[in-house]
PDB file of all heavy atoms in Angstrom:
ATOM      1  N   LEU A 567     -22.726  12.935   7.512  1.00 43.00           N
ATOM      2  CA  LEU A 567     -23.250  12.211   8.659  1.00 43.00           C
ATOM      3  C   LEU A 567     -23.696  13.210   9.720  1.00 43.00           C
ATOM      4  O   LEU A 567     -23.504  14.419   9.592  1.00 43.00           O
ATOM      5  CB  LEU A 567     -22.171  11.272   9.208  1.00 43.00           C
ATOM      6  CG  LEU A 567     -21.625  10.244   8.216  1.00 43.00           C
ATOM      7  CD1 LEU A 567     -20.477   9.465   8.856  1.00 43.00           C
ATOM      8  CD2 LEU A 567     -22.723   9.288   7.793  1.00 43.00           C
ATOM      9  N   ASP A 568     -24.290  12.734  10.776  1.00 47.00           N
ATOM     10  CA  ASP A 568     -24.757  13.626  11.849  1.00 47.00           C
ATOM     11  C   ASP A 568     -23.608  14.330  12.557  1.00 47.00           C
ATOM     12  O   ASP A 568     -23.752  15.454  13.007  1.00 47.00           O
ATOM     13  CB  ASP A 568     -25.575  12.832  12.874  1.00 47.00           C
ATOM     14  CG  ASP A 568     -26.879  12.338  12.290  1.00 47.00           C
ATOM     15  OD1 ASP A 568     -27.343  12.927  11.299  1.00 47.00           O
ATOM     16  OD2 ASP A 568     -27.431  11.373  12.822  1.00 47.00           O
ATOM     17  N   ASN A 569     -22.490  13.647  12.654  1.00 53.00           N
ATOM     18  CA  ASN A 569     -21.337  14.266  13.305  1.00 53.00           C
ATOM     19  C   ASN A 569     -20.539  15.075  12.277  1.00 53.00           C
ATOM     20  O   ASN A 569     -20.828  15.033  11.089  1.00 53.00           O
ATOM     21  CB  ASN A 569     -20.475  13.205  13.989  1.00 53.00           C
ATOM     22  CG  ASN A 569     -20.026  12.122  13.028  1.00 53.00           C
ATOM     23  OD1 ASN A 569     -20.110  12.291  11.828  1.00 53.00           O
ATOM     24  ND2 ASN A 569     -19.551  11.017  13.545  1.00 53.00           N
ATOM     25  N   PRO A 570     -19.518  15.792  12.690  1.00 60.00           N
ATOM     26  CA  PRO A 570     -18.775  16.661  11.773  1.00 60.00           C
ATOM     27  C   PRO A 570     -18.019  15.925  10.664  1.00 60.00           C
ATOM     28  O   PRO A 570     -17.643  16.538   9.693  1.00 60.00           O
ATOM     29  CB  PRO A 570     -17.781  17.385  12.673  1.00 60.00           C
ATOM     30  CG  PRO A 570     -18.232  17.167  14.062  1.00 60.00           C
ATOM     31  CD  PRO A 570     -19.095  15.958  14.068  1.00 60.00           C
ATOM     32  N   ARG A 571     -17.787  14.619  10.814  1.00 61.00           N
ATOM     33  CA  ARG A 571     -17.047  13.884   9.790  1.00 61.00           C
ATOM     34  C   ARG A 571     -17.920  13.686   8.560  1.00 61.00           C
ATOM     35  O   ARG A 571     -19.092  13.397   8.655  1.00 61.00           O
ATOM     36  CB  ARG A 571     -16.596  12.540  10.332  1.00 61.00           C
ATOM     37  CG  ARG A 571     -15.597  12.682  11.460  1.00 61.00           C
ATOM     38  CD  ARG A 571     -15.225  11.358  12.026  1.00 61.00           C
ATOM     39  NE  ARG A 571     -14.509  10.590  11.040  1.00 61.00           N
ATOM     40  CZ  ARG A 571     -13.982   9.400  11.278  1.00 61.00           C
ATOM     41  NH1 ARG A 571     -14.104   8.860  12.456  1.00 61.00           N
ATOM     42  NH2 ARG A 571     -13.336   8.759  10.348  1.00 61.00           N
ATOM     43  N   GLN A 572     -17.321  13.821   7.408  1.00 67.00           N
ATOM     44  CA  GLN A 572     -18.045  13.662   6.160  1.00 67.00           C
ATOM     45  C   GLN A 572     -17.774  12.283   5.567  1.00 67.00           C
ATOM     46  O   GLN A 572     -16.661  11.772   5.642  1.00 67.00           O
ATOM     47  CB  GLN A 572     -17.626  14.732   5.165  1.00 67.00           C
ATOM     48  CG  GLN A 572     -18.426  14.701   3.882  1.00 67.00           C
ATOM     49  CD  GLN A 572     -18.038  15.833   2.959  1.00 67.00           C
ATOM     50  OE1 GLN A 572     -17.143  16.608   3.268  1.00 67.00           O
ATOM     51  NE2 GLN A 572     -18.703  15.928   1.830  1.00 67.00           N
ATOM     52  N   LEU A 573     -18.794  11.697   4.982  1.00 69.00           N
ATOM     53  CA  LEU A 573     -18.652  10.408   4.317  1.00 69.00           C
ATOM     54  C   LEU A 573     -18.021  10.635   2.959  1.00 69.00           C
ATOM     55  O   LEU A 573     -18.633  11.203   2.065  1.00 69.00           O
ATOM     56  CB  LEU A 573     -20.021   9.743   4.173  1.00 69.00           C
ATOM     57  CG  LEU A 573     -20.054   8.345   3.587  1.00 69.00           C
ATOM     58  CD1 LEU A 573     -19.262   7.377   4.473  1.00 69.00           C
ATOM     59  CD2 LEU A 573     -21.493   7.863   3.471  1.00 69.00           C
ATOM     60  N   THR A 574     -16.775  10.236   2.818  1.00 78.00           N
ATOM     61  CA  THR A 574     -16.045  10.469   1.575  1.00 78.00           C
ATOM     62  C   THR A 574     -15.969   9.182   0.763  1.00 78.00           C
ATOM     63  O   THR A 574     -16.209   8.093   1.269  1.00 78.00           O
ATOM     64  CB  THR A 574     -14.609  10.945   1.873  1.00 78.00           C
ATOM     65  OG1 THR A 574     -13.927   9.893   2.584  1.00 78.00           O
ATOM     66  CG2 THR A 574     -14.613  12.227   2.695  1.00 78.00           C
ATOM     67  N   ASP A 575     -15.616   9.340  -0.508  1.00 80.00           N
ATOM     68  CA  ASP A 575     -15.432   8.164  -1.360  1.00 80.00           C
ATOM     69  C   ASP A 575     -14.337   7.266  -0.805  1.00 80.00           C
ATOM     70  O   ASP A 575     -14.435   6.049  -0.847  1.00 80.00           O
ATOM     71  CB  ASP A 575     -15.088   8.577  -2.784  1.00 80.00           C
ATOM     72  CG  ASP A 575     -16.272   9.229  -3.488  1.00 80.00           C
ATOM     73  OD1 ASP A 575     -17.423   8.979  -3.066  1.00 80.00           O
ATOM     74  OD2 ASP A 575     -16.048   9.984  -4.449  1.00 80.00           O
ATOM     75  N   TRP A 576     -13.272   7.881  -0.260  1.00 81.00           N
ATOM     76  CA  TRP A 576     -12.177   7.083   0.297  1.00 81.00           C
ATOM     77  C   TRP A 576     -12.691   6.203   1.432  1.00 81.00           C
ATOM     78  O   TRP A 576     -12.345   5.029   1.515  1.00 81.00           O
ATOM     79  CB  TRP A 576     -11.061   7.991   0.811  1.00 81.00           C
ATOM     80  CG  TRP A 576      -9.949   7.207   1.419  1.00 81.00           C
ATOM     81  CD1 TRP A 576      -8.867   6.692   0.766  1.00 81.00           C
ATOM     82  CD2 TRP A 576      -9.827   6.794   2.782  1.00 81.00           C
ATOM     83  NE1 TRP A 576      -8.072   6.000   1.643  1.00 81.00           N
ATOM     84  CE2 TRP A 576      -8.639   6.040   2.892  1.00 81.00           C
ATOM     85  CE3 TRP A 576     -10.588   6.985   3.919  1.00 81.00           C
ATOM     86  CZ2 TRP A 576      -8.202   5.481   4.085  1.00 81.00           C
ATOM     87  CZ3 TRP A 576     -10.157   6.430   5.110  1.00 81.00           C
ATOM     88  CH2 TRP A 576      -8.975   5.692   5.173  1.00 81.00           C
ATOM     89  N   ARG A 577     -13.509   6.749   2.313  1.00 80.00           N
ATOM     90  CA  ARG A 577     -14.027   5.977   3.441  1.00 80.00           C
ATOM     91  C   ARG A 577     -14.918   4.835   2.953  1.00 80.00           C
ATOM     92  O   ARG A 577     -14.885   3.730   3.489  1.00 80.00           O
ATOM     93  CB  ARG A 577     -14.790   6.882   4.403  1.00 80.00           C
ATOM     94  CG  ARG A 577     -15.174   6.150   5.676  1.00 80.00           C
ATOM     95  CD  ARG A 577     -15.645   7.082   6.776  1.00 80.00           C
ATOM     96  NE  ARG A 577     -14.522   7.890   7.232  1.00 80.00           N
ATOM     97  CZ  ARG A 577     -14.589   9.197   7.450  1.00 80.00           C
ATOM     98  NH1 ARG A 577     -15.706   9.842   7.284  1.00 80.00           N
ATOM     99  NH2 ARG A 577     -13.545   9.859   7.858  1.00 80.00           N
ATOM    100  N   LEU A 578     -15.725   5.086   1.929  1.00 83.00           N
ATOM    101  CA  LEU A 578     -16.556   4.021   1.361  1.00 83.00           C
ATOM    102  C   LEU A 578     -15.682   2.915   0.787  1.00 83.00           C
ATOM    103  O   LEU A 578     -15.908   1.733   1.026  1.00 83.00           O
ATOM    104  CB  LEU A 578     -17.472   4.587   0.265  1.00 83.00           C
ATOM    105  CG  LEU A 578     -18.525   5.589   0.708  1.00 83.00           C
ATOM    106  CD1 LEU A 578     -19.267   6.134  -0.511  1.00 83.00           C
ATOM    107  CD2 LEU A 578     -19.501   4.960   1.678  1.00 83.00           C
ATOM    108  N   TRP A 579     -14.675   3.297   0.000  1.00 84.00           N
ATOM    109  CA  TRP A 579     -13.773   2.307  -0.595  1.00 84.00           C
ATOM    110  C   TRP A 579     -13.047   1.517   0.485  1.00 84.00           C
ATOM    111  O   TRP A 579     -12.887   0.317   0.374  1.00 84.00           O
ATOM    112  CB  TRP A 579     -12.755   3.015  -1.493  1.00 84.00           C
ATOM    113  CG  TRP A 579     -13.215   3.171  -2.899  1.00 84.00           C
ATOM    114  CD1 TRP A 579     -14.341   3.803  -3.328  1.00 84.00           C
ATOM    115  CD2 TRP A 579     -12.567   2.675  -4.058  1.00 84.00           C
ATOM    116  NE1 TRP A 579     -14.418   3.739  -4.685  1.00 84.00           N
ATOM    117  CE2 TRP A 579     -13.336   3.061  -5.167  1.00 84.00           C
ATOM    118  CE3 TRP A 579     -11.396   1.970  -4.277  1.00 84.00           C
ATOM    119  CZ2 TRP A 579     -12.997   2.753  -6.469  1.00 84.00           C
ATOM    120  CZ3 TRP A 579     -11.054   1.661  -5.576  1.00 84.00           C
ATOM    121  CH2 TRP A 579     -11.849   2.042  -6.650  1.00 84.00           C
ATOM    122  N   LYS A 580     -12.591   2.194   1.526  1.00 86.00           N
ATOM    123  CA  LYS A 580     -11.860   1.523   2.603  1.00 86.00           C
ATOM    124  C   LYS A 580     -12.743   0.491   3.286  1.00 86.00           C
ATOM    125  O   LYS A 580     -12.315  -0.624   3.569  1.00 86.00           O
ATOM    126  CB  LYS A 580     -11.367   2.572   3.616  1.00 86.00           C
ATOM    127  CG  LYS A 580     -10.648   2.010   4.807  1.00 86.00           C
ATOM    128  CD  LYS A 580      -9.275   1.514   4.434  1.00 86.00           C
ATOM    129  CE  LYS A 580      -8.510   1.114   5.671  1.00 86.00           C
ATOM    130  NZ  LYS A 580      -7.970  -0.224   5.593  1.00 86.00           N
ATOM    131  N   THR A 581     -13.993   0.844   3.537  1.00 84.00           N
ATOM    132  CA  THR A 581     -14.927  -0.078   4.179  1.00 84.00           C
ATOM    133  C   THR A 581     -15.153  -1.315   3.329  1.00 84.00           C
ATOM    134  O   THR A 581     -15.070  -2.455   3.809  1.00 84.00           O
ATOM    135  CB  THR A 581     -16.279   0.630   4.443  1.00 84.00           C
ATOM    136  OG1 THR A 581     -16.048   1.755   5.276  1.00 84.00           O
ATOM    137  CG2 THR A 581     -17.272  -0.297   5.107  1.00 84.00           C
ATOM    138  N   VAL A 582     -15.425  -1.114   2.046  1.00 87.00           N
ATOM    139  CA  VAL A 582     -15.683  -2.246   1.157  1.00 87.00           C
ATOM    140  C   VAL A 582     -14.400  -3.035   0.910  1.00 87.00           C
ATOM    141  O   VAL A 582     -14.417  -4.264   0.847  1.00 87.00           O
ATOM    142  CB  VAL A 582     -16.310  -1.763  -0.170  1.00 87.00           C
ATOM    143  CG1 VAL A 582     -16.490  -2.914  -1.137  1.00 87.00           C
ATOM    144  CG2 VAL A 582     -17.655  -1.107   0.110  1.00 87.00           C
ATOM    145  N   ALA A 583     -13.258  -2.352   0.801  1.00 88.00           N
ATOM    146  CA  ALA A 583     -11.983  -3.044   0.581  1.00 88.00           C
ATOM    147  C   ALA A 583     -11.650  -3.960   1.752  1.00 88.00           C
ATOM    148  O   ALA A 583     -11.180  -5.080   1.549  1.00 88.00           O
ATOM    149  CB  ALA A 583     -10.853  -2.028   0.372  1.00 88.00           C
ATOM    150  N   ASP A 584     -11.904  -3.504   2.971  1.00 88.00           N
ATOM    151  CA  ASP A 584     -11.654  -4.347   4.138  1.00 88.00           C
ATOM    152  C   ASP A 584     -12.510  -5.609   4.094  1.00 88.00           C
ATOM    153  O   ASP A 584     -12.036  -6.706   4.391  1.00 88.00           O
ATOM    154  CB  ASP A 584     -11.917  -3.577   5.432  1.00 88.00           C
ATOM    155  CG  ASP A 584     -10.878  -2.509   5.707  1.00 88.00           C
ATOM    156  OD1 ASP A 584      -9.795  -2.545   5.075  1.00 88.00           O
ATOM    157  OD2 ASP A 584     -11.142  -1.638   6.558  1.00 88.00           O
ATOM    158  N   ASP A 585     -13.777  -5.455   3.716  1.00 86.00           N
ATOM    159  CA  ASP A 585     -14.668  -6.617   3.593  1.00 86.00           C
ATOM    160  C   ASP A 585     -14.207  -7.556   2.487  1.00 86.00           C
ATOM    161  O   ASP A 585     -14.183  -8.778   2.652  1.00 86.00           O
ATOM    162  CB  ASP A 585     -16.105  -6.174   3.312  1.00 86.00           C
ATOM    163  CG  ASP A 585     -16.750  -5.491   4.496  1.00 86.00           C
ATOM    164  OD1 ASP A 585     -16.185  -5.570   5.613  1.00 86.00           O
ATOM    165  OD2 ASP A 585     -17.818  -4.890   4.320  1.00 86.00           O
ATOM    166  N   LEU A 586     -13.839  -6.985   1.335  1.00 87.00           N
ATOM    167  CA  LEU A 586     -13.393  -7.799   0.204  1.00 87.00           C
ATOM    168  C   LEU A 586     -12.092  -8.525   0.532  1.00 87.00           C
ATOM    169  O   LEU A 586     -11.943  -9.713   0.233  1.00 87.00           O
ATOM    170  CB  LEU A 586     -13.225  -6.918  -1.034  1.00 87.00           C
ATOM    171  CG  LEU A 586     -12.879  -7.607  -2.342  1.00 87.00           C
ATOM    172  CD1 LEU A 586     -13.935  -8.645  -2.711  1.00 87.00           C
ATOM    173  CD2 LEU A 586     -12.747  -6.580  -3.445  1.00 87.00           C
ATOM    174  N   ASN A 587     -11.160  -7.839   1.165  1.00 85.00           N
ATOM    175  CA  ASN A 587      -9.889  -8.466   1.539  1.00 85.00           C
ATOM    176  C   ASN A 587     -10.112  -9.608   2.527  1.00 85.00           C
ATOM    177  O   ASN A 587      -9.465 -10.656   2.426  1.00 85.00           O
ATOM    178  CB  ASN A 587      -8.940  -7.442   2.147  1.00 85.00           C
ATOM    179  CG  ASN A 587      -8.399  -6.480   1.122  1.00 85.00           C
ATOM    180  OD1 ASN A 587      -8.408  -6.765  -0.070  1.00 85.00           O
ATOM    181  ND2 ASN A 587      -7.950  -5.333   1.564  1.00 85.00           N
ATOM    182  N   ALA A 588     -11.016  -9.429   3.467  1.00 85.00           N
ATOM    183  CA  ALA A 588     -11.314 -10.503   4.426  1.00 85.00           C
ATOM    184  C   ALA A 588     -11.885 -11.714   3.697  1.00 85.00           C
ATOM    185  O   ALA A 588     -11.543 -12.858   4.010  1.00 85.00           O
ATOM    186  CB  ALA A 588     -12.294 -10.008   5.483  1.00 85.00           C
ATOM    187  N   GLY A 589     -12.736 -11.477   2.709  1.00 83.00           N
ATOM    188  CA  GLY A 589     -13.301 -12.580   1.930  1.00 83.00           C
ATOM    189  C   GLY A 589     -12.252 -13.302   1.107  1.00 83.00           C
ATOM    190  O   GLY A 589     -12.258 -14.530   1.009  1.00 83.00           O
ATOM    191  N   ILE A 590     -11.338 -12.543   0.511  1.00 83.00           N
ATOM    192  CA  ILE A 590     -10.267 -13.158  -0.282  1.00 83.00           C
ATOM    193  C   ILE A 590      -9.352 -13.983   0.616  1.00 83.00           C
ATOM    194  O   ILE A 590      -9.010 -15.122   0.295  1.00 83.00           O
ATOM    195  CB  ILE A 590      -9.468 -12.075  -1.039  1.00 83.00           C
ATOM    196  CG1 ILE A 590     -10.333 -11.453  -2.134  1.00 83.00           C
ATOM    197  CG2 ILE A 590      -8.186 -12.663  -1.634  1.00 83.00           C
ATOM    198  CD1 ILE A 590      -9.722 -10.238  -2.788  1.00 83.00           C
ATOM    199  N   LYS A 591      -8.962 -13.427   1.746  1.00 80.00           N
ATOM    200  CA  LYS A 591      -8.074 -14.144   2.666  1.00 80.00           C
ATOM    201  C   LYS A 591      -8.730 -15.395   3.232  1.00 80.00           C
ATOM    202  O   LYS A 591      -8.057 -16.382   3.500  1.00 80.00           O
ATOM    203  CB  LYS A 591      -7.633 -13.224   3.804  1.00 80.00           C
ATOM    204  CG  LYS A 591      -6.655 -12.161   3.342  1.00 80.00           C
ATOM    205  CD  LYS A 591      -6.282 -11.243   4.473  1.00 80.00           C
ATOM    206  CE  LYS A 591      -5.353 -10.142   3.956  1.00 80.00           C
ATOM    207  NZ  LYS A 591      -5.008  -9.204   5.008  1.00 80.00           N
ATOM    208  N   ALA A 592     -10.039 -15.372   3.394  1.00 79.00           N
ATOM    209  CA  ALA A 592     -10.752 -16.533   3.935  1.00 79.00           C
ATOM    210  C   ALA A 592     -10.744 -17.708   2.956  1.00 79.00           C
ATOM    211  O   ALA A 592     -10.923 -18.853   3.359  1.00 79.00           O
ATOM    212  CB  ALA A 592     -12.189 -16.155   4.273  1.00 79.00           C
ATOM    213  N   CYS A 593     -10.489 -17.434   1.686  1.00 79.00           N
ATOM    214  CA  CYS A 593     -10.470 -18.490   0.666  1.00 79.00           C
ATOM    215  C   CYS A 593      -9.178 -19.304   0.679  1.00 79.00           C
ATOM    216  O   CYS A 593      -9.122 -20.376   0.091  1.00 79.00           O
ATOM    217  CB  CYS A 593     -10.651 -17.884  -0.725  1.00 79.00           C
ATOM    218  SG  CYS A 593     -12.265 -17.147  -0.986  1.00 79.00           S
ATOM    219  N   PHE A 594      -8.157 -18.780   1.314  1.00 75.00           N
ATOM    220  CA  PHE A 594      -6.851 -19.439   1.282  1.00 75.00           C
ATOM    221  C   PHE A 594      -6.424 -19.837   2.683  1.00 75.00           C
ATOM    222  O   PHE A 594      -6.428 -19.011   3.591  1.00 75.00           O
ATOM    223  CB  PHE A 594      -5.802 -18.493   0.672  1.00 75.00           C
ATOM    224  CG  PHE A 594      -6.128 -18.087  -0.730  1.00 75.00           C
ATOM    225  CD1 PHE A 594      -6.723 -16.863  -0.993  1.00 75.00           C
ATOM    226  CD2 PHE A 594      -5.862 -18.939  -1.794  1.00 75.00           C
ATOM    227  CE1 PHE A 594      -7.037 -16.483  -2.286  1.00 75.00           C
ATOM    228  CE2 PHE A 594      -6.167 -18.570  -3.083  1.00 75.00           C
ATOM    229  CZ  PHE A 594      -6.757 -17.337  -3.333  1.00 75.00           C
ATOM    230  N   PRO A 595      -6.048 -21.093   2.872  1.00 72.00           N
ATOM    231  CA  PRO A 595      -5.605 -21.523   4.200  1.00 72.00           C
ATOM    232  C   PRO A 595      -4.271 -20.877   4.572  1.00 72.00           C
ATOM    233  O   PRO A 595      -3.456 -20.574   3.714  1.00 72.00           O
ATOM    234  CB  PRO A 595      -5.444 -23.036   4.062  1.00 72.00           C
ATOM    235  CG  PRO A 595      -5.244 -23.267   2.608  1.00 72.00           C
ATOM    236  CD  PRO A 595      -5.990 -22.164   1.886  1.00 72.00           C
ATOM    237  N   VAL A 596      -4.074 -20.660   5.853  1.00 71.00           N
ATOM    238  CA  VAL A 596      -2.831 -20.080   6.339  1.00 71.00           C
ATOM    239  C   VAL A 596      -1.741 -21.142   6.309  1.00 71.00           C
ATOM    240  O   VAL A 596      -1.948 -22.263   6.785  1.00 71.00           O
ATOM    241  CB  VAL A 596      -3.012 -19.531   7.769  1.00 71.00           C
ATOM    242  CG1 VAL A 596      -1.698 -19.006   8.311  1.00 71.00           C
ATOM    243  CG2 VAL A 596      -4.087 -18.462   7.794  1.00 71.00           C
TER     244      VAL A 596
END
Side-chain angles (χ1 to χ4, degrees):
L567 302 175
D568 292 338
N569 56 15
R571 295 177 66 176
Q572 185 176 2
L573 184 61
T574 63
D575 291 337
W576 178 88
R577 188 167 292 135
L578 295 175
W579 271 58
K580 178 73 173 127
T581 301
V582 176
D584 289 344
D585 291 347
L586 185 58
N587 288 339
I590 291 171
K591 289 178 183 178
C593 294
F594 300 99
V596 176

